[in-house]
Amino acid sequence: MESKKYKILIADDEYWTREKIRRMIQWDKYGLLFLEPAVDGEDVLRKMEEHHPDIVITDINMPYLDGVELLRILQEKYPEVVTFVISGYDDFDYVKNSFMAGSINYLVKPVGRIDLINALTKALELISKRRQQKEETLRAASFLQDREFSQLLERKETPFMPNITINGEIDYAGVTLILLKIHRLQTLSGRYGYDMNRLSFAVKRQLHELMGDEDAIIFNHVYRSNEFIIVSEKENQELRPLFEKISLKLEQEAESPVSVIFSDHSFSMDSIHQAYIQTVSLLMTRRFAPVSQVISTGKGAGAQEEIRNHFSERQKNELLTLLKRGQMEEARQYILHEIGLEDCQGNWSYLEVRQTVKRVAMFLTEYFSDLSQNQPAGTEDLDQVLDKELEALDGKGLCELLHDYIDSCTALSQSEGDTTRGTVRQAAEYIQEHYFEPLTLRELAERYHVEHSYFSRIFRREIGTSLLQYITKIRIEKAKEYIRKGNGNLTEIAFMVGYDDYTYFNKVFRKSEGMSPRDFREQMEKVQN
């Protein structure tokens, strides 16, 4: 995205209003240049000649030349400029006169971030219809929404009820937040050339069309790329049948299960963060199965179901006995049958599977660490890979990962010949060329016609590191290369190197480099400057 492409001019005679808006958004991140604000209408006209802004945001009540008259002049002399109003007055005549003078929006002070983002998005979309760079401008607007609204999800102190925008859009006094989660993005990401911005924009546009509601706010969670958030003023009972159809359609297109979770429709919702946490909590109650599911609050949501403990102290002791005796195959079968992970898919809740798998993984890690007096190779990556299989609702993949981990921690067999080394070298070269694609032990083993646990062992012996560690190393090196060259924002870079979840990418990068991707980028910028 080209930096500082669209120019924004604020006009208000109140200093604190101008400064609040200046600091409300990191303008340059979205290709927006925040011009030095104008103090009155006459100052606006001077700056129009000098800077030629694309968007003008003006107060109504200003000295010398009021906002309504200014809007009329701008509409006559600069019809290509998009204008909207921020005012302390909600009188109908002010609103009517502003719209008649060419304003596309009317916001009442004090302006909240959601109001401003919505107004700016609408302005950029209007610009896109007037210019040749339509797709580029729409994607700039889309990225603005995604990033700013995602930050609201993560901040507990952010109010969810900003001042109402007087433009016929959502009344935030009563809304429903909907979490739509596409559990596997691999098929969609390949379809859009592993370009997260294109994918995000296309899915949001499709959701608007399927909902038939252009006023609904839809954005992509930039820190969890497979999550889309919808904010609608419609009631749950009206939305649920619609999203049951939408989830099935997306399931077919994405070749992935889809979860749709509704928050309460409330007039007293304190924050968008709290509504989001409610949907994430409800997500934990869904059946762990690769099928789409729609969940809402109330009876039948699953929130009242008892969470069962599938890994008791007795089972820990029995598994420990098998491990100490060196009965590794029996230990693997115990995890499958006695603990019951082979039956988790479709029978356990997401939370039950998550808790059990994490506890078993921690138990194995502690046992093999004590056995070798060192952390086994691959241990630090196990938790992260299990998270990816959990996200994909893949019970079989979880079992195979735990089994492969046991294999990797046991003694390796005698060395193999040149054929084995050739297979491993081919696999390593394939990873170097296809690092941005979904790469798993199972798929690579099948590609080279080798049993997956055996493939894991020979890869570690020949390369000196686990398969996952090798994939991670290649991806992080590519990410660092993209960051040095300034190729895209960090979310895009994560997607370009094979991570569809920025939070996961950030965690892996930090563990590899000892710093976050953002810190690495800032370090590179200092070196280059």
Side-chain angles (χ1 to χ4, degrees), residues 327-342:
Q327 296 174 290
M328 297 305 167
E329 179 57 31
E330 288 80 357
R332 288 192 287 268
Q333 293 303 314
Y334 191 91
I335 291 171
L336 273 179
H337 304 306
E338 181 63 28
I339 296 174
L341 279 175
E342 69 173 352

Side-chain angles (χ1 to χ4, degrees), residues 33-80:
L33 174 60
F34 189 87
L35 299 172
E36 189 59 34
V39 298
D40 55 47
E42 292 183 354
D43 194 17
V44 169
L45 296 179
R46 287 192 293 270
K47 292 182 184 301
M48 292 296 300
E49 292 295 328
E50 182 178 356
H51 299 293
H52 307 288
D54 302 285
I55 300 171
V56 174
I57 307 170
T58 182
D59 189 13
I60 284 291
N61 189 20
M62 294 187 297
Y64 310 119
L65 181 65
D66 70 28
V68 173
E69 184 58 29
L70 172 64
L71 289 171
R72 291 195 180 101
I73 295 173
L74 292 178
Q75 187 178 40
E76 180 180 345
K77 293 185 64 176
Y78 308 97
E80 74 285 358

Side-chain angles (χ1 to χ4, degrees), residues 171-185:
D171 179 348
Y172 292 94
V175 295
T176 296
L177 183 143
I178 305 162
L179 167 61
L180 187 148
K181 191 178 192 75
I182 303 172
H183 285 270
R184 294 192 298 268
L185 278 181

Side-chain angles (χ1 to χ4, degrees), residues 304-443:
Q304 288 78 31
E305 291 186 13
E306 182 181 355
I307 303 300
R308 297 165 292 173
N309 179 10
H310 295 275
F311 191 35
S312 66
E313 286 301 317
R314 175 186 63 81
Q315 291 168 321
K316 289 180 183 178
N317 290 331
E318 291 177 354
L319 180 58
L320 179 61
T321 299
L322 293 173
L323 292 171
K324 285 182 175 179
R325 290 174 178 172
Q327 296 174 290
M328 297 305 167
E329 179 57 31
E330 288 80 357
R332 288 192 287 268
Q333 293 303 314
Y334 191 91
I335 291 171
L336 273 179
H337 304 306
E338 181 63 28
I339 296 174
L341 279 175
E342 69 173 352
D343 296 322
C344 71
Q345 196 151 293
N347 298 313
W348 296 10
S349 71
Y350 186 98
L351 182 58
E352 286 174 328
V353 176
R354 181 179 180 83
Q355 287 182 344
T356 304
V357 167
K358 294 286 186 174
R359 288 169 181 169
V360 171
M362 183 179 296
F363 177 83
L364 293 173
T365 297
E366 290 175 352
Y367 171 76
F368 286 113
S369 295
D370 291 341
L371 191 67
S372 64
Q373 301 300 313
N374 289 301
Q375 190 180 53
T379 295
E380 61 183 18
D381 300 310
L382 177 63
D383 193 57
Q384 298 171 17
V385 185
L386 289 173
D387 280 337
K388 300 301 289 182
E389 298 296 338
L390 283 164
E391 187 85 353
L393 303 172
D394 187 352
K396 182 179 179 181
L398 288 169
C399 293
E400 290 183 353
L401 279 171
L402 291 173
H403 291 185
D404 292 338
Y405 179 68
I406 293 175
D407 283 342
S408 70
C409 294
T410 55
L412 301 178
S413 60
Q414 66 274 17
S415 61
E416 279 74 15
D418 292 339
T419 300
T420 296
R421 286 191 288 272
T423 299
V424 171
R425 284 196 296 270
Q426 289 178 40
E429 291 173 1
Y430 182 85
I431 291 167
Q432 292 172 16
E433 295 175 0
H434 298 83
Y435 60 89
F436 50 86
E437 296 179 1
L439 297 171
T440 65
L441 170 62
R442 193 189 327 163
E443 291 168 347

Side-chain angles (χ1 to χ4, degrees), residues 293-306:
Q293 189 170 348
V294 179
I295 300 175
S296 56
T297 55
K299 186 176 181 180
Q304 288 78 31
E305 291 186 13
E306 182 181 355

